[in-house]
Amino acid sequence: MAAEAAEEARQLRSCEDCGLPEAAGLCPACASRRRVDGLVRDADAVYAAYRRRHNRRTKEAAEQAADAAGLRTAEALLGRLLDQLDAARRRASAA
């Protein structure tokens, strides 16, 4: 009997969000809105984690590409310098 009275009192409570009477504390519309809000928060958290991971990988890839480009530039410069050195040696030996 006490359990029945407690259940009846719960059923008579207004909705905590919108105040709809006899909503057992939360009406179906507000309960759905809360579930959707929770799902949106979860999706935002997942997206934020994905962006952090993606940005970290993108930054690492950009750094690796820059390192590779720097290495290619240095190799090309070294090749040109060696060519110039060989040409200078040939000119010196011909003179």
Side-chain angles (χ1 to χ4, degrees):
M1 187 176 266
E4 292 172 1
E7 177 61 20
E8 185 176 337
R10 187 185 72 79
Q11 292 292 330
L12 292 174
R13 288 180 36 220
S14 297
C15 176
E16 295 174 4
D17 290 354
C18 70
L20 182 71
E22 299 180 19
L26 195 61
C27 72
C30 291
S32 292
R33 184 186 45 76
R34 283 187 180 188
R35 279 192 299 277
V36 168
D37 289 347
L39 290 172
V40 168
R41 279 191 303 275
D42 291 348
D44 284 344
V46 168
Y47 179 73
Y50 165 78
R51 290 301 302 167
R52 283 191 302 272
R53 183 176 180 201
H54 176 74
N55 288 343
R56 186 172 49 248
R57 285 185 174 176
T58 301
K59 181 180 176 187
E60 289 169 359
E63 288 171 351
Q64 289 172 353
D67 289 346
L71 181 59
R72 286 190 301 273
T73 301
E75 288 172 343
L77 179 59
L78 179 60
R80 285 194 305 271
L81 289 172
L82 290 174
D83 290 343
Q84 290 173 3
L85 180 61
D86 287 342
R89 284 183 181 157
R90 283 192 301 272
R91 282 191 305 270
S93 66

